Amino acid sequence: MKSKKTWAEKLANSKGLPKVAQVCGSMSRRWGEGIMVIPAPIEVDALMKQVPKGRVVTVNDLRSALATKHKANFACPLTTGIFAWIAAHAAAEAEADGAKRITPYWRTLKNGGELNPKYPGGVEKAAKRLRAEGHNVVQKGKRFVVTGYEKALFTRLS
């Protein structure tokens, strides 16, 4: 029986990525036209690791940095989000194994400053970590958001 891959193994498995391709045909209705990059999971993780304490980044910021890096018009929103999720779980896995320095996944927000409920520990754990770094997290309906996140955006991703 094949053993289940760890989150770290999933993060390290690039599966031939990144790929840069022209978007055309039926795909252009969903994604738009131009050149799209499908990043490697490790690239998304590397960008997330750049965000310093007290600062935040959105998934769209990650996508923009990836597009710039690969000279593309945009980065795939689906895979970028999935790979951020994998990076978050790999970080939590490493932390559980005793690692002191992990990818600060709680600093990567959904668009609009929303906390990602699918990250390890849910919004409660992310909110606690963000508050400890000086951010104000409030509940808006069912969502949790960092108020004034725009002022804390880290824009020097490379």
Side-chain angles (χ1 to χ4, degrees), residues 30-31 36-39 44 59-60 63 74-86 118:
R30 181 170 184 180
W31 305 113
M36 178 173 75
V37 60
I38 300 172
V44 176
V59 174
N60 269 356
R63 290 182 55 226
F74 58 99
C76 177
L78 190 64
T79 56
T80 304
I82 290 169
F83 295 157
W85 175 73
I86 289 172
K118 294 182 180 179

Side-chain angles (χ1 to χ4, degrees), residues 1 5 14 24-25 29 32-33 58 70 82 96 101 109 121 142 146 151:
M1 187 163 116
K5 283 187 179 181
S14 292
C24 56
R29 276 181 286 212
E33 294 196 359
T58 66
H70 292 284
I82 290 169
R101 294 181 59 102
L109 308 173
K142 293 181 179 181
V146 174
K151 295 176 188 151

Side-chain angles (χ1 to χ4, degrees), residues 19-30:
K19 286 185 182 174
V20 179
Q22 182 74 36
V23 177
C24 56
S26 62
M27 283 181 60
S28 65
R29 276 181 286 212
R30 181 170 184 180

Side-chain angles (χ1 to χ4, degrees), residues 65-123:
L66 290 162
T68 299
K69 176 182 177 182
H70 292 284
K71 297 175 178 59
N73 299 103
F74 58 99
C76 177
L78 190 64
T79 56
T80 304
I82 290 169
F83 295 157
W85 175 73
I86 289 172
H89 283 277
E93 180 179 75
E95 187 175 42
D97 289 342
K100 298 293 181 212
R101 294 181 59 102
I102 62 167
T103 300
Y105 60 88
W106 56 92
R107 296 178 191 151
T108 301
L109 308 173
K110 293 172 77 174
N111 300 322
E114 183 181 349
L115 277 61
N116 193 329
K118 294 182 180 179
Y119 283 171
V123 292

